[in-house]
Amino acid sequence: MPAVLSSPTAADIVARVARELSLTPAQVRDTLALFDEGNTLPFIARYRKEATGGLDEVQLRDVQERSAYLTEMEDRRAAILRSIEEQGKLDDALRATILRADSKQALEDLYLPFKPKRRTRAMIARERGLGPLAEQVWSGTVDDSAVEALAVTFLNDDVPDAAAALQGARDILSEQVAEDAVVRGWVRELTRAQGRVKSVVMTGKASDASRFKDYFDFEEALGTIPSHRMLAIRRGEAEGELQWQVVAPAEQIVGRLTRELTEERRAPTQLTLVAADAYKRLLASAIEVELRVELKTRADDEAIVIFGRNLEQLLLSAPAGEKRVIGFDPGFRTGVKVAVVSATGALVHTDTLYLHQEDRFAGAVRALVQRFTPDLIAVGNGTASRETETLVKASLRELDPPVPQVVVVSEAGASVYSASDIARAEFPELDVSLRGAVSIARRLQDPLAELVKIDPKSIGVGQYQHDVNQPRLKSRLDDTVMSCVNRVGVEVNTASAALLSYVAGIGPSLAQSIVSLRDSRGGLRSRAELKEVPRLGAKAFEQAAGFLRVRGGAHPLDASGVHPERYALVERMAKDLGADVASIVGNEALVSQIKLTQYVSDDVGMPTLVDIADELRKPGRDPRSAFEPPAFRDDVQKPQDLVPGMVLEGVVTNIVAFGAFVDVGVHQDGLVHVSQLSDRYIKDPNDAVKVGQRVKVTVQSIDLPRNRIALSMRTDGGGVRSKSGVASENTSSAQRDKRAPSQTATKSIAKPVVPKPSIVPTKGFVAPNGMRFK
């Protein structure tokens, strides 16, 4: 009897995660222990580098997610073994095969024959007493010449003739073959490797103006179709314009299955029929459903990664800082909404101006500038953006210099913010239309602080985000926002509750408590006062304190990224230098004299000491780049103004798998296809551009009926194309979503390598009805 394997243990899971992610078991074990203790990912990445061996946030997330997958798989394995054992059908060979399965799919394949199911043709055939006939056909007891005579012996009230008996026997065998884990495995793999995705237009839906025109008669290999095309096809299906299917190599599959079933058996005619029926009636549809789900999951994963990466780049885009700003939310019919905010973001004044009243508009702009002396003017990039920008600039020419710089700002999500609970709480008496102007002004000052108030899905930096798995998308985007907030740090006395809620260990409830306490005290004077916030316990303080800044606080390190748990260590460093802490903070000369090696201990290693020294050199430094606005051409305000060959400056607004969208100031983003991003070969657009980056582009072509603009960043202009020669991938939700933010579809978030499902049956594996498969 073969030895019975034992179920994988926690140590086995740690070893597997370490092997798959190329880490040491100690790194995985200690990382999981930190998560189990309730530590947050930003805190572990920043303040527990010794324990994890310096893993970054991406690696930490991979460890956590892969471990969770394997733990869930082990729970499922245990449940399957328990279920089969309760049925009295678990032998050592089957147990060993189940224990060797290395994916959830493999486990489900093995469990399929034992899974409770509705009545099938095979069940009915067995109830009619045809199981023994099927066994004899399968085992070779009878050959083709005698099979009909044998079938006659199984006739009864429910089986009127030999043909019915043989049909029932074949139904039993077809189900047995279709439920065999090994057969399902290779059929799935063969379909995955050679299958194709095919889409066609629905009857009566063909239209040259359709955004799904490129998929009206489309076919591509299942294994290589990129996420954006798969998501486009699925959206076309959801909107009733397309239908699609997975086209499998059916002839090859049936041929192989026939050879495997008939080889060395005496009833090849019957088994040939079984092979065809098993695939066409049972396997084909089941495998297609699985692969359709797999295609969606893969496309979702890629789209979520892209969205997270773009969101991170947008959140970390350069802030203008504490500048006085006038925000303009453009509009034709309802007017241009105006909001003046102070250097700290406080609302000072609001107004509504109308573009058709040019003289009054210009006079009002000049009066606002003279009264409030803004440093910058922010104009939203929505409808009437260029008209508003042009008129504002013309108005400023009447003033003596210096005049404030006019900057076009993305207004994606501003309307969502305007109607949100956060906006109502901030400005309960302010008209909803004016709140958008406030958001536009503030996001120029600090994009991160303002954009955290908006549902990330409404910011418009992804593709087809409403079509992907929503819980997974929300989780990933929330993680991205939290990562960005903690990387930058938060000034506790000026941050909104929305911003504070993303600090590690805080959350919405504690964030509101912090705001209430600081308001009641006129501001907090130290990090230590955070301990007095109701319900903010020791663990929450540990997680959050290093990311919260108290400018001008009681302790010199309160405005830095040095964690309070290391204050005593810094005080020791200062004492060894013959100085006090305040004198070394920001003093490069003194910090360079610190001999870090002498402070290494069991508790503190060099990674933490290096971070402390960096913080002492530049306390509370902002990792974001310096602010530099783009310069749009005054003579280009709408798509009709564009001419092939024209060279423009623009801003990258969105990055997708097939390229990057760039705002060139015409209220319609143009696409730089991945092949046009650089003179060299680019596989990933993120290797060439980032969201918010200023770029120089050449107009290749303009397709006005389909609202498409093709651009190039190549030094040769990429070759000017005809007006209809726009890259097909320009069919993106990003352009539509810019017009309707509320309907919109990190360091890259890597995914661990997940092995393909495989089943290695133990020698002598016996199927549920006792039939042995080769």
Side-chain angles (χ1 to χ4, degrees):
M1 177 183 294
V4 177
L5 302 178
S6 59
S7 297
T9 63
D12 295 327
I13 291 176
V14 167
R16 180 169 175 178
V17 172
R19 183 175 63 255
E20 291 179 359
L21 301 181
S22 299
L23 304 174
T24 67
Q27 284 178 298
V28 175
R29 182 181 60 251
D30 293 345
T31 295
L32 293 176
L34 287 167
F35 279 122
D36 288 343
E37 292 167 6
N39 295 293
T40 61
L41 191 149
F43 176 80
I44 296 172
R46 179 68 175 82
Y47 297 111
R48 291 296 180 263
K49 292 181 178 178
E50 284 82 2
T52 68
L55 300 185
D56 61 27
E57 289 190 17
V58 174
Q59 292 170 307
L60 292 171
R61 186 179 291 109
D62 288 346
V63 169
Q64 187 180 37
E65 291 180 352
R66 188 60 181 153
S67 174
Y69 174 90
L70 294 176
T71 300
E72 290 173 3
M73 186 171 74
E74 294 315 316
D75 291 343
R76 182 57 177 161
R77 192 193 312 273
I80 286 173
L81 287 169
R82 192 163 50 248
S83 174
I84 299 175
E85 188 167 31
E86 289 171 355
Q87 296 175 41
K89 298 176 181 178
L90 184 64
D91 58 25
D92 289 347
L94 178 56
R95 179 190 295 275
T97 302
I98 291 174
L99 290 174
R100 286 182 176 133
D102 63 358
S103 71
K104 291 180 181 179
Q105 182 65 70
L107 284 173
E108 296 305 327
D109 282 351
L110 289 167
Y111 184 48
L112 184 60
F114 309 94
K115 205 173 197 176
K117 57 175 74 72
R118 60 178 177 79
R119 276 167 56 82
T120 64
R121 285 164 51 171
M123 288 180 183
I124 295 170
R126 289 193 182 96
E127 292 169 0
R128 293 174 176 175
L130 297 174
L133 175 59
E135 167 62 22
Q136 292 184 62
V137 171
W138 180 264
S139 63
T141 303
V142 63
D143 60 22
D144 277 336
S145 63
V147 71
E148 189 165 345
L150 177 63
V152 172
T153 65
F154 288 88
L155 303 185
N156 55 47
D157 291 343
D158 296 317
V159 184
D161 52 39
L166 290 173
Q167 180 62 63
R170 291 195 299 270
D171 288 342
I172 293 172
L173 294 177
S174 293
E175 182 177 282
Q176 184 59 58
V177 170
E179 292 185 348
D180 177 59
V182 177
V183 171
R184 292 182 76 87
W186 70 253
V187 170
R188 183 185 298 110
E189 288 301 317
L190 187 56
T191 306
R192 186 185 284 129
Q194 298 187 24
R196 300 184 67 79
V197 172
K198 181 177 177 59
S199 65
V200 296
V201 65
M202 295 285 285
T203 303
K205 296 294 184 178
S207 168
D208 287 341
S210 171
R211 58 181 179 273
F212 304 111
K213 180 182 177 181
D214 299 318
Y215 304 101
F216 283 177
D217 185 15
F218 175 84
E219 190 172 329
E220 187 165 355
L222 183 152
T224 60
I225 185 170
S227 64
H228 63 275
R229 285 204 275 271
M230 196 64 250
L231 289 168
I233 290 171
R234 289 184 61 87
R235 178 175 283 189
E237 179 185 51
E239 295 187 11
E241 291 194 35
L242 302 176
Q243 61 181 6
W244 69 281
Q245 65 182 41
V246 174
V247 180
E251 186 175 341
Q252 184 177 346
I253 292 171
V254 173
R256 175 176 168 179
L257 193 55
T258 299
R259 290 192 300 273
E260 291 194 4
L261 296 189
T262 59
E263 187 179 4
E264 299 179 3
R265 286 196 170 94
R266 299 178 63 198
T269 301
Q270 295 298 318
L271 293 175
T272 297
L273 295 173
V274 167
D277 182 55
Y279 178 69
K280 294 176 181 177
R281 180 170 62 87
L282 300 174
L283 273 172
S285 58
I287 296 300
E288 179 175 12
V289 168
E290 289 179 11
L291 293 180
R292 284 174 70 106
V293 171
E294 185 177 291
L295 283 166
K296 173 171 170 47
T297 301
R298 188 177 76 194
D300 284 2
D301 288 346
E302 292 179 19
I304 289 170
V305 167
I306 290 170
F307 200 132
R309 183 190 298 128
N310 291 349
L311 177 63
E312 177 188 54
Q313 293 169 6
L314 181 63
L315 293 176
L316 295 180
S317 56
E322 294 186 350
K323 308 285 187 182
R324 296 182 299 277
V325 181
I326 300 179
F328 287 81
D329 187 359
F332 284 117
R333 185 178 57 82
T334 59
V336 179
K337 308 303 178 181
V338 183
V340 182
V341 299
S342 70
T344 59
L347 179 61
V348 177
H349 176 77
T350 62
D351 203 346
T352 300
L353 306 177
Y354 294 91
L355 290 170
H356 64 274
Q357 301 172 346
E358 292 190 15
D359 291 341
R360 292 183 61 182
F361 187 102
V365 169
R366 288 191 289 271
L368 288 170
V369 171
Q370 291 171 331
R371 176 182 174 187
F372 298 106
T373 62
D375 301 294
L376 296 166
I377 291 178
V379 178
N381 68 340
T383 302
S385 172
R386 292 314 305 275
E387 291 82 359
T388 302
E389 179 194 10
T390 300
L391 191 49
V392 169
K393 286 182 176 179
S395 305
L396 297 179
R397 294 192 190 105
E398 303 282 332
L399 298 176
D400 295 330
V403 295
Q405 184 174 11
V406 180
V407 182
V408 176
V409 177
S410 170
E411 65 176 37
S415 60
V416 176
Y417 162 78
S418 299
S420 69
D421 292 339
I422 293 176
R424 282 192 291 272
E426 284 190 297
F427 307 107
E429 305 301 326
L430 195 63
D431 184 84
V432 64
S433 63
L434 290 168
R435 294 172 187 161
V438 179
S439 179
I440 288 169
R442 285 177 168 178
R443 66 177 63 186
L444 182 58
Q445 295 175 318
D446 190 339
L448 177 62
E450 194 62 23
L451 291 174
V452 295
K453 302 173 184 177
I454 302 169
D455 180 356
K457 289 187 299 183
S458 300
I459 296 177
V461 290
Q463 54 176 347
Y464 303 108
Q465 55 263 49
H466 288 284
D467 299 336
V468 304
N469 183 289
Q470 295 303 295
R472 293 212 327 271
L473 176 64
K474 183 179 187 309
S475 174
R476 184 52 55 88
L477 296 186
D478 286 347
D479 285 349
T480 300
V481 176
M482 178 177 284
S483 172
C484 293
V485 168
N486 289 284
R487 214 179 309 172
V488 172
V490 175
E491 170 56 45
V492 71
N493 282 317
T494 59
S496 65
L499 185 59
L500 285 168
S501 70
Y502 282 103
V503 173
I506 298 298
S509 178
L510 285 178
Q512 194 57 57
S513 295
I514 292 173
V515 171
S516 297
L517 182 65
R518 84 178 183 204
D519 289 349
S520 67
R521 296 186 177 184
L524 302 182
R525 291 170 293 280
S526 70
R527 279 173 168 165
E529 285 188 69
L530 290 166
K531 296 179 180 179
E532 301 173 35
V533 173
R535 300 184 305 282
L536 196 154
K539 191 65 177 180
F541 179 82
E542 176 192 53
Q543 301 298 301
F547 303 112
L548 293 171
R549 312 278 189 261
V550 183
R551 194 179 305 170
H555 196 288
L557 296 176
D558 280 352
S560 75
V562 177
H563 197 282
E565 66 186 8
R566 302 302 176 200
Y567 281 9
L569 175 60
V570 176
E571 289 165 2
R572 189 175 134 212
M573 292 176 176
K575 183 178 179 182
D576 291 345
L577 290 173
D580 58 24
V581 173
S583 65
I584 68 172
V585 173
N587 190 325
E588 173 71 34
L590 280 176
V591 174
S592 64
Q593 296 178 33
I594 301 173
K595 297 179 180 179
L596 298 180
T597 53
Q598 74 183 56
Y599 300 101
V600 174
S601 66
D602 293 339
D603 184 45
V604 182
M606 282 302 295
T608 294
L609 292 168
V610 169
D611 284 347
I612 290 174
D614 288 342
E615 278 295 323
L616 292 176
R617 289 187 181 93
K618 296 181 179 179
R621 65 193 183 283
D622 194 323
R624 295 173 290 184
S625 59
F627 173 72
E628 188 178 2
F632 294 136
R633 282 177 50 164
D634 292 337
D635 61 332
V636 176
Q637 298 191 17
K638 54 187 181 298
Q640 290 84 346
D641 296 332
L642 296 175
V643 177
M646 184 179 283
V647 178
L648 303 168
E649 185 172 294
V651 179
V652 177
T653 59
N654 197 8
I655 299 175
V656 290
F658 50 84
F661 286 92
V662 176
D663 181 2
V664 292
V666 296
H667 187 51
Q668 179 64 53
D669 290 353
L671 172 68
V672 183
H673 190 266
V674 64
S675 63
Q676 299 294 320
L677 284 170
S678 174
D679 292 336
R680 62 187 176 87
Y681 171 73
I682 294 292
K683 181 178 181 181
D684 183 353
N686 284 274
D687 293 338
V689 292
K690 303 296 179 187
V691 172
Q693 178 180 335
R694 292 174 58 184
V695 295
K696 184 172 288 186
V697 296
T698 301
V699 178
Q700 288 187 293
S701 61
I702 310 98
D703 184 347
L704 295 177
R706 299 173 74 184
N707 292 320
R708 296 181 176 184
I709 303 168
L711 306 171
S712 174
M713 287 173 52
R714 290 172 51 172
T715 55
D716 62 0
V720 175
R721 290 181 274 168
S722 67
K723 290 192 174 184
S724 61
V726 185
S728 64
E729 285 84 357
N730 210 350
T731 306
S732 167
S733 63
Q735 295 189 5
R736 296 189 305 278
D737 295 335
K738 183 176 178 183
R739 294 191 294 274
S742 62
Q743 298 299 317
T744 308
T746 55
K747 189 177 205 171
S748 175
I749 303 172
K751 295 180 290 184
V753 176
V754 180
K756 290 182 179 179
S758 62
I759 302 172
V760 184
T762 301
K763 185 176 181 180
F765 173 62
V766 181
N769 66 351
M771 298 179 181
R772 293 181 179 272
F773 283 77
K774 293 186 285 186

